[in-house]
Amino acid sequence: MQFGTDGVRGRANAELTPSFALDLGRAAAQVLCASGLVSQAVVGGDSRVSTSMLEAAFAAGLACEGVHVLRLGLVPTPAVAYEAARLGAMGAVISASHNPFYDNGIKLFAAGGTKLAGDVESRIEQALTRLSTPTRDPGAIEDHQSNHYVEHLIASLQGRSLRGLRVVVDAANGAASHIVADVFSRTGAQVVVINAAPSGTNINQGCGATSPAGLQAVVTAERAHVGIALDGDADRLIAVDECGDIVDGDHIIAICARDMRQRGVLNHNTVVVTVMTNLGFRLAMRAADIEVVETDVGDRYVLEALSAGDFSLGGEQSGHVIFPDRATTGDGMLTAIALLDVVQRSGRRLSQLASESMTQLPQVLVNIQVAERRPDVAELLASEIAAAAAPLGETGRILVRPSGTEPLVRVMVEAPTAELARSTAEGLSAVVRAHPQLSALDPLTDG
């Protein structure tokens, strides 16, 4: 197995086995702790039935190489990153995020809680191929209980209260299930929690950020002001307004960007987003005199751009939102508190803030299976893409890119109308399928 866009991920006990987790723990320790400056690791995971098995194996691998392992148990991904930063330790999360329960993954953080750079991941992959009998004295493995992460979330309000807000939180039967009630109650909000009874097999099942329909129904039934849907490891969210309508990551970032600019805390008046961010966001930021920096898809690239430019806000349409002055990674609950704080301070309904922040242009996404991954697909089809984009002008956008993990070409079109977006996407998809160098097959999905 190899690192993907967010750690190593696969079918638990089939692709991602305990023996592999043990070896990965050893390799990670050799690369991340080899200098001797880092002697500790914090390890936690989500609520999947396979998590404890893989966590035990990975922790054993770390201990084989002399690392002192602190087991955090059931915790969100950002809690592991926070503890790694607080303790100066490396971190590991056993989680497959929004995937079904039968998948699992291992995400690693460097000392200080930051995502690994690509070259570091390559070094760990190389270390995996040359493991030999351990020669170090073994490290200890112990349970580690900490309330610092929860206190950190509450402190982000800087003494303000969310009293008067009624909030529904969908915990996705995941890693935050046991703390969401405490966290949001302590903000002063009135809280209704749903899907916070993990069984080991119900994480993300018809709930959470990938399936918010249930949350939408509860928000309207409870006459709540805001709904918050976390994903399985609670590093991202999707919001629901008081009318039951979805407020996605683009809108959340736009709301926060405008608020931060007004308060003079948006560094360099700039926000960082990915190429998948809706064109409507870019047009709205231009109107608000906010600069936009664009990266490849993946929160690791957003983090890199935030650090390089000393910016203070970035994220993805999927709901990964990053406030680098408060966290080293995306954090669903931290973002939810920031969003609720804007609602409270503004005295506006979330639906009003969302509609004022940006107008989302219709977007169509077609995934087309090809014979093999073609990283150069955009260059290969440059003239065809330019011809399809010409009628859209500045009111539309086309993005053709390869999948990062599968032999797929993704064709995304945004246009002023849904009909124009769809017809443009269908026409360009036909070009992809007919291209002799792509050997395209039928499209897998059509969004």
Side-chain angles (χ1 to χ4, degrees):
M1 297 186 69
Q2 294 182 315
F3 285 93
T5 55
D6 198 14
V8 175
R9 193 174 297 184
R11 189 73 175 250
N13 220 29
E15 299 167 308
L16 184 56
T17 63
S19 60
F20 175 81
L22 178 86
D23 288 347
L24 182 62
R26 292 190 59 201
Q30 290 179 8
V31 172
L32 299 177
C33 305
S35 66
L37 298 177
V38 179
S39 60
Q40 281 189 330
V42 290
V43 181
D46 67 23
S47 58
R48 292 162 212 272
V49 67
S50 62
T51 291
S52 58
M53 171 187 74
L54 294 170
E55 180 188 42
F58 184 82
L62 292 172
C64 278
E65 299 296 328
V67 177
H68 181 197
V69 182
L70 302 177
R71 296 177 59 196
L72 304 180
L74 179 65
V75 290
T77 287
V80 175
Y82 180 80
E83 282 296 290
R86 189 178 72 84
L87 298 173
M90 67 160 283
V93 184
I94 314 301
S95 174
S97 188
H98 60 276
N99 284 32
F101 83 91
Y102 47 75
D103 289 334
N104 217 321
I106 302 176
K107 297 191 278 191
L108 301 180
F109 293 101
T114 58
K115 289 283 182 83
L116 300 187
D119 65 311
V120 176
E121 291 179 338
S122 296
R123 287 165 54 201
I124 294 174
E125 290 176 348
Q126 292 167 10
L128 273 167
T129 67
R130 54 174 187 263
L131 292 175
S132 58
T133 303
T135 59
R136 297 174 180 269
D137 292 334
I141 300 176
E142 62 179 280
D143 292 337
H144 177 72
Q145 300 296 321
S146 173
N147 199 44
H148 287 283
Y149 172 65
V150 172
E151 297 301 327
H152 156 69
L153 293 175
I154 305 305
S156 69
L157 280 172
Q158 300 180 319
R160 295 185 293 276
S161 171
L162 302 180
R163 192 175 309 279
L165 290 183
R166 184 169 174 79
V167 183
V168 181
V169 182
D170 182 344
N173 292 314
S177 294
H178 61 307
I179 62 174
V180 286
D182 178 47
V183 168
F184 287 95
S185 294
R186 289 183 57 187
T187 67
Q190 183 181 0
V191 187
V192 175
V193 178
I194 62 174
N195 299 314
S199 67
T201 60
N202 62 356
I203 186 171
N204 301 313
Q205 189 175 59
C207 60
T210 55
S211 301
L215 174 64
Q216 292 173 277
V218 175
V219 166
T220 55
E222 293 284 344
R223 297 188 176 182
H225 296 94
V226 180
I228 299 296
L230 302 172
D231 69 338
D233 68 334
D235 68 346
R236 67 183 178 99
L237 82 161
I238 292 295
V240 173
D241 68 22
E242 75 285 353
C243 302
D245 294 327
I246 297 293
V247 179
D248 68 6
D250 286 352
H251 282 90
I252 293 168
I253 297 167
I255 290 169
C256 291
R258 287 163 58 99
D259 173 71
M260 292 172 68
R261 188 185 189 287
Q262 290 170 2
R263 293 187 290 122
V265 294
L266 185 66
N267 287 6
H268 310 296
N269 285 334
T270 298
V271 64
V272 180
V273 295
T274 77
V275 293
M276 289 302 293
T277 295
N278 193 271
L279 177 60
F281 176 93
R282 294 167 173 79
L283 297 176
M285 293 301 98
R286 183 189 303 170
D289 197 26
I290 296 174
E291 296 292 325
V292 176
V293 170
E294 187 177 278
T295 75
D296 289 336
V297 175
D299 61 340
R300 64 185 292 174
Y301 302 113
V302 175
L303 281 160
E304 289 173 1
L306 287 167
S307 176
D310 186 33
F311 304 129
S312 53
L313 176 64
E316 298 184 280
Q317 190 179 67
S318 61
H320 284 111
V321 182
I322 304 166
F323 299 90
D325 58 335
R326 307 181 201 178
T328 60
T329 189
D331 188 330
M333 287 191 288
L334 182 68
T335 303
I337 291 171
L339 179 65
L340 292 167
D341 187 35
V342 177
V343 173
Q344 182 79 318
R345 285 185 286 101
S346 69
R348 314 291 297 280
R349 295 189 297 273
L350 180 55
S351 61
Q352 293 175 306
L353 291 172
S355 63
E356 292 168 359
S357 67
M358 62 171 281
T359 299
Q360 191 168 39
L361 294 180
Q363 184 184 91
V364 173
L365 175 65
V366 181
N367 294 327
I368 306 163
Q369 191 167 22
V370 294
E372 60 182 0
R373 287 193 66 244
R374 288 294 301 253
D376 63 341
V377 64
E379 292 78 14
L380 185 65
L381 300 175
S383 60
E384 292 89 343
I385 294 170
L392 303 180
E394 292 189 357
T395 60
R397 186 170 68 106
I398 292 176
L399 178 65
V400 178
R401 67 183 185 90
S403 165
T405 57
E406 303 173 87
L408 298 176
V409 170
R410 307 193 194 279
V411 175
M412 189 274 287
V413 177
E414 293 168 341
T417 68
E419 181 181 357
L420 180 57
R422 179 166 294 279
S423 63
T424 304
E426 289 175 348
L428 193 52
S429 297
V431 170
V432 174
R433 289 192 292 270
H435 198 285
Q437 290 182 256
L438 295 173
S439 301
L441 304 174
D442 291 337
L444 295 183
T445 60
D446 187 348

